[in-house]
Amino acid sequence: MKRHTFFAPLLACALALPLFAAHAAPVDDAVSTLQHDWETIRYQAPPKEREKRFESLSAKARETSQAFADRSEPLVWEGIIVSSWAAERGGMGALSLVKQAKALYEKAIEIDGKALDGSAYASLGVLYHKVPGWPIGFGDKAKAEALFKQALAINPNGIDPNFFYAELLADTGRADQAKVYLDRALAAPARPGRPLADAGRRDEIKALQAKLVSAR
């Protein structure tokens, strides 16, 4: 199983929580710190350092989830961090991590699926889209589509759910529909405190748009 193939897009999961919001509640402060640390590793750390650093950050995320056990937001971010760790590890060794991330997203949805603009649905959809199906993994494109539609029902103008759904549409031979959602993703408003994540996502959107044009 090749490193950075089907797990790579998991790295780019991004949420709507503003960084260091004024008067933030303790859980928001804790989650913002995780988000900031994740962005630093994802976009600024040397590639060879990322696996270890995501592994370390996952332990910090676990502590945050345990400290706020009745909240969905830390679980979503723990799932994203564990997914990112899986992406850096790659291969069969990553499967246990993506299963762990799946359980975290499912628990987050059970507590409050609408938290962070429904990001748990979108992130779980990415797993179902990118992870291989049975007998290797739990991947299921029909399940992924249902999850993306749930995410879009909560956050119809979000850059992430529109992009993730466009990826699925493109991968399942529906290029014309994919272009519609890519246009919506590119038109999404900038997220407060997320310039790195927004820039990276917009590059991915443009790359997929170019790929679809060249495939005509």
Side-chain angles (χ1 to χ4, degrees), residues 3-4 41 45-53 88:
R3 181 183 172 93
H4 297 308
I41 299 170
K48 64 181 181 181
E49 295 181 7
R50 291 176 188 163
E51 181 181 352
K52 279 294 183 186
R53 292 181 64 173
E88 294 299 333

Side-chain angles (χ1 to χ4, degrees), residues 7 82 86 89 91-102 138:
F7 293 122
V82 171
R89 172 173 289 185
M92 295 300 292
L95 283 175
S96 63
L97 293 176
V98 293
K99 289 177 182 177
Q100 181 182 338
K102 174 176 174 287
F138 57 83

Side-chain angles (χ1 to χ4, degrees), residues 27 30 34 40 68 95 97 113 127 130 132 135 137 142 155 166 176 193 207 209 213:
V27 65
L34 292 176
T40 299
F68 301 98
L95 283 175
L97 293 176
L127 289 183
K130 300 295 180 180
N155 186 20
D176 288 343
Q209 286 177 323
V213 169

Side-chain angles (χ1 to χ4, degrees), residues 16 32 50 122 124 160 185 192:
S32 290
R50 291 176 188 163
L124 185 56
D160 285 343

Side-chain angles (χ1 to χ4, degrees), residues 118-143:
S119 292
Y121 289 110
S123 298
L124 185 56
V126 172
L127 289 183
Y128 274 102
H129 176 198
K130 300 295 180 180
V131 170
W134 188 87
I136 297 173
F138 57 83
D140 182 330
K141 288 183 172 53
K143 179 70 173 176

Side-chain angles (χ1 to χ4, degrees), residues 109 113-114 117-126 128-129 140-158 160-169 172 174 177-178 181 184:
I109 290 170
K114 293 183 179 179
D117 291 329
S119 292
Y121 289 110
S123 298
L124 185 56
V126 172
Y128 274 102
H129 176 198
D140 182 330
K141 288 183 172 53
K143 179 70 173 176
E145 181 156 7
L147 287 162
F148 289 144
K149 287 180 178 178
Q150 286 179 278
L152 284 165
I154 297 169
N155 186 20
N157 299 317
D160 285 343
N162 279 290
F163 173 69
F164 294 147
Y165 189 37
E167 273 197 310
L168 177 70
L169 292 168
T172 52
R174 292 174 282 177
Q177 293 181 56
Y181 285 91
R184 292 179 185 174

Side-chain angles (χ1 to χ4, degrees), residues 48-67:
K48 64 181 181 181
E49 295 181 7
R50 291 176 188 163
E51 181 181 352
K52 279 294 183 186
R53 292 181 64 173
F54 277 133
E55 180 180 5
S56 177
L57 185 59
S58 73
K60 183 177 178 181
R62 181 88 289 265
E63 292 174 358
T64 302
S65 295
Q66 290 173 339

